[in-house]
Amino acid sequence: METHCRYIEYKDTGMFSRLIADYLGDEKFIKDFYAHPTNLTGIASSIEERRKFPTNRTKIVAAFKETYSHSSPSTKQLEHMEWMAQDNTFTVCTAHQPNIFSGYLYFIYKTAHVIALSQKLSADFPDCRFVPVFYIGSEDNDLAELSAFNLNDKKYRWETSQSGAVGRMIVDDGIESLIKMVETELLHLPFAKDIIAIIRKAYAKGNDMAQGTFILLNELFREQGLLVLQPDNASLKELMKSVFRDDLLHNTAQQIVGETNARLEKQYKLQVNPRPVNLFYLRDGIRNRIDKRGNLYTVDETVIRFTEAEMLEELNQHPERFSPNVILRGIYQETILPNILFVGGGSEVAYWMQLKGLFSLYKVPFPMLVLRNSFMLMDANHEHKMKELDIHDADLFKEETSLANELVQRWAGAELTLKTEEHESRELFSQLRERVAAIDKTLVQHVHSLEVDHLKKLETLKKKMLKAERKKQSIQLQRIWKLKAELFPNNTLQERVDNFMPYYAQYGPSFIDVIVKHSLALEQRFGVIVMGKG
């Protein structure tokens, strides 16, 4: 499939937070909250720090082999698993919760990004090896968020009475009903049967949701060598017992992250806030918050209680029953993986910056933070309309009123500016001031008032001319608003609304290849992909 991609600066989109704009702009204030600049020098320093950290490669290799024991890994995946045992191998990681059918397009974009980064770094650092890893946030329990997806302007939701960690929930008849609805929506597209077959395999009745996410990722990215990590693993949790114990006993994260937050919130909106205990209790259909009340540890909304001694014994015997919240999740990820770089969305990068002090305390290397790639997908018809309307990629992101005024002036040329008239008026009043000053200096202020009044009337005339021209060009503007509505569903980025399935159903496996192909590595720019015919 023929495609091409143009890139624009993130700041020209107006779609990202001030913190992200400052991060990408290398602002001085934000530098204290991350460890490595987003360039090859930063990669080198991240590698150097990681080399000094004692990663338990035996356990992480065993975890990957366990995950892939019921699948048929590709040659590249098998190679990457073998590499993981070697000290010169490092991971490039992204993470996401087990959203049903992947949730949103950015799920695909962040995955493609770590693959593209691994390929780029392998060329830049030939003495090292780099493996792309997707970390499934399978212990998340926000079912309301993870159970929904959008398709063809309709919202679908999995209705289930199951509770606890979403990754442990079992595929049931409700999922099968949703698959049938998806099939009906996509059946007219050329690769509909292919994507439905993948979805049916991933979300077969009896699979849990984490397994479904694993199979989906594996079907889409196995040939690129992506490794998927399921961190809900007793052996891996063993490596976190000292951190979990410290959090239970001393509320360390609340203090350290609280100090960072006090500095950050002077400039930015905070993404997360620590609790006294930043752990959930994970067992038998529950993932509920652990609180300390007096001398007892309680599990929120249950009758489960522990004394301090009992809680510590539970942690010692069953670390798998302890699930880190967002404050400790990153520490877990970076403890178990030989990771040098984390790819995340804007809110993820923002909350990781709240955690740097916690990493320092526990002496865990803080990875380079890279904003995941974002794309706008359009077809040749959209591009043709843009050329007809004489609009550019950055124009699409502008607020409608200012864009309309800018375009109308662009189409009308100098006729609407009145710049010549304004300049001549200023020259005239300047001459008048000189003449009246020679007669009576008290008249100079009167001339100034006349000038101000005259220029205001010219400005009013200019606005009326612009309004008249907008009315004249209303058909053209309506075409632009229609185009924007197609490219910005719900008036936001496609990646935050659309699911990948219609694109796969239209373009087939080449859709994944296109996203990987056009994924930048460390350049941090927004991509506009023009899709050709499949």
Side-chain angles (χ1 to χ4, degrees), residues 123-138:
D124 291 329
F125 296 88
D127 293 337
C128 299
R129 289 170 167 171
F130 301 92
V131 175
V133 170
F134 189 105
Y135 176 112
I136 300 178
S138 56

Side-chain angles (χ1 to χ4, degrees), residues 482-508:
K482 182 179 178 183
L483 176 64
K484 278 176 62 72
E486 291 174 2
L487 296 175
F488 292 85
N490 298 344
N491 201 32
T492 190
L493 295 178
Q494 291 168 337
E495 63 186 42
R496 301 175 186 173
V497 177
D498 288 352
N499 185 274
F500 86 98
M501 292 186 292
Y503 297 94
Y504 196 103
Q506 176 65 49
Y507 301 108

Side-chain angles (χ1 to χ4, degrees), residues 238-252:
E238 283 273 353
L239 301 173
M240 283 292 287
K241 285 181 2 180
S242 63
V243 173
F244 290 170
R245 177 187 173 90
D246 187 49
D247 195 65
L248 287 166
L249 294 179
H250 303 123
N251 311 136
T252 306

Side-chain angles (χ1 to χ4, degrees), residues 409-427:
Q409 288 184 345
R410 187 188 301 172
W411 294 333
E415 298 174 19
L416 296 179
T417 64
L418 296 183
K419 286 184 178 179
T420 301
E421 291 77 7
E422 288 176 357
H423 176 73
E424 291 175 348
S425 295
R426 293 181 191 279
E427 288 289 319

Side-chain angles (χ1 to χ4, degrees), residues 19 51 180 214 293 372 375 426 434 459 471 497:
L19 183 148
R51 286 187 191 277
K180 290 178 180 177
F214 162 73
R293 298 177 181 176
R372 65 164 172 77
F375 295 104
R426 293 181 191 279
E434 291 179 8
E459 184 65 25
K471 186 175 181 180
V497 177

Side-chain angles (χ1 to χ4, degrees), residues 202-396:
Y203 297 93
K205 195 170 181 179
N207 285 356
D208 63 36
M209 294 300 289
Q211 188 177 4
T213 302
F214 162 73
I215 295 172
L216 177 60
L217 283 163
N218 202 42
E219 289 293 314
L220 298 178
F221 294 102
R222 66 191 302 275
E223 294 306 321
Q224 286 90 351
L226 179 74
L227 293 186
V228 180
L229 178 62
Q230 164 56 293
D232 187 359
N233 179 295
S235 178
L236 296 179
K237 291 276 183 77
E238 283 273 353
L239 301 173
M240 283 292 287
K241 285 181 2 180
S242 63
V243 173
F244 290 170
R245 177 187 173 90
D246 187 49
D247 195 65
L248 287 166
L249 294 179
H250 303 123
N251 311 136
T252 306
Q254 184 180 43
Q255 176 188 340
I256 298 298
V257 178
E259 291 171 358
T260 302
N261 285 358
R263 296 165 59 204
L264 266 176
E265 65 184 351
K266 293 177 182 178
Q267 300 261 8
Y268 310 110
K269 180 181 177 181
L270 298 178
Q271 293 293 318
V272 296
N273 286 292
R275 297 183 53 80
V277 177
N278 295 280
L279 294 165
F280 292 87
Y281 192 63
L282 181 65
R283 185 180 180 186
D284 302 331
I286 65 168
R287 184 189 185 244
N288 291 24
R289 191 175 67 240
I290 297 174
D291 291 318
K292 189 173 185 182
R293 298 177 181 176
N295 296 320
L296 289 178
Y297 289 89
T298 64
V299 178
D300 192 46
E301 298 183 350
T302 75
V303 297
I304 301 173
R305 303 286 186 271
F306 295 95
T307 65
E308 182 178 290
E310 289 169 340
M311 178 58 82
L312 296 180
E313 181 62 18
E314 183 78 352
L315 173 62
N316 187 53
Q317 295 297 322
H318 299 286
E320 73 278 4
R321 295 178 183 173
F322 292 79
S323 175
N325 71 1
V326 67
I327 299 295
L328 295 181
R329 192 206 68 78
I331 291 276
Y332 180 35
Q333 173 186 296
E334 298 302 307
T335 297
I336 61 179
L337 284 170
N339 198 48
I340 59 161
L341 183 155
F342 178 72
V343 171
S347 61
E348 290 174 294
V349 170
Y351 80 66
W352 272 76
M353 289 189 186
Q354 297 176 236
L355 307 178
K356 182 169 176 277
L358 198 61
F359 276 76
S360 296
L361 175 74
Y362 290 122
K363 296 181 172 54
V364 177
F366 193 78
M368 176 187 287
L369 301 178
V370 176
L371 181 67
R372 65 164 172 77
N373 285 322
S374 286
F375 295 104
M376 174 184 287
L377 304 177
M378 63 172 66
D379 58 28
N381 186 45
H382 291 133
E383 186 174 45
H384 178 69
K385 288 178 182 178
M386 288 179 65
K387 289 179 180 177
E388 279 190 334
L389 296 165
D390 188 28
I391 59 174
H392 314 298
D393 294 329
D395 292 332
L396 294 170

